[in-house]
Amino acid sequence: MTMTPEQIRLKQNPILTNMLLGMGQGTFIAERIFPRLPQTLSKVVIGQLGDERFHRYNLRRAPGTATKRVNISYDGKVYTVQQYSVEVPIPRELIREQAEAKKINLSINVEISEIAMTTANDILALDYEMEAAEFATDPASYDPGNVVTLAGATQWSAATGTPVTDIRRMREIVRQKIGKRPNTLALSAAAFEALVVNAEVRSYLPNTQMGPATLEQLKTVFGLDDIAVGDAVWINESDAHADVWGNDAVLAYVPKILAGGSISLAEPAFGFTNVIEGHPFAETPYYEDNLKSWVYGATFERAPNIAYNTAGGLFQNVI
């Protein structure tokens, strides 16, 4: 029996959940590399097929003779989601002041509940973005030969850097391993700024163009369907700001997830995000006497995973 989202999300608040799900992710790009694969249980088995479909067999048969049989290898991998939760207390004094302001018709543009849900959403989303970026920029996530480390004259910020050559060469490396061309490029903010003014990139642009390359032009030059720029930043324990996606670029084959979250077992996706259906969701707010505050909570059960390490390529230290 399949559980409904309502059965899965205990003590949820439907109104605040709809608000949470309706909030945009801004500059977060994790789902552009790791598309959502909804599930109803904390653990799910997803099959990965072997390479039998890439072999050629003697399929010709004479009447009455046996038909060629191909035994396939099937690896059922267990993927487990992890639960992430956050609470945002709102002091009752702040709620009281807002209520009084409404009585005298002062302009109140942001509801208390929206303040709480926006904060919770941003915290959950940033944590997810950082985990996805850590997976995507880890050389251990890739097949040998699918990682390139740039330095000095080969960096894309250098006058002699050749990002078009580098990316197209990696596209071919991936294609020879999975039979499909990678279709998505994830760039750190620094990598994007270097690319749009790179000399090799500009050599593909019209001579009359004065400004830097656009995203659409980069897609054409690199032969890609999507280019995602990770502008998100985070603040560490020392209050220093840092880019979530660092100084790297990720090339990947990202399949289309069909309605209902189905995906072909033979699709060589670089990765996906296992996520409980309907997440993130908002908990029902409750009052805590000790804090003298209403506490708003949100929960997100998910886990970004690498599916086929042959379906992506990593460029490190691009500037």
Side-chain angles (χ1 to χ4, degrees), residues 36-39 81 273-277 279 300-303:
R36 285 186 171 221
L37 201 58
Q39 60 193 60
V81 298
T273 298
N274 293 91
V275 59
I276 296 294
E277 185 179 355
H279 276 230
F300 195 5
E301 288 191 58
R302 47 74 181 170

Side-chain angles (χ1 to χ4, degrees), residues 162 164-174 251 315:
T162 57
V164 181
T165 301
D166 295 340
I167 291 172
R168 286 191 167 272
R169 182 182 294 125
M170 184 61 73
R171 286 180 70 225
E172 184 61 14
I173 290 173
V174 172
L251 187 65
F315 300 95

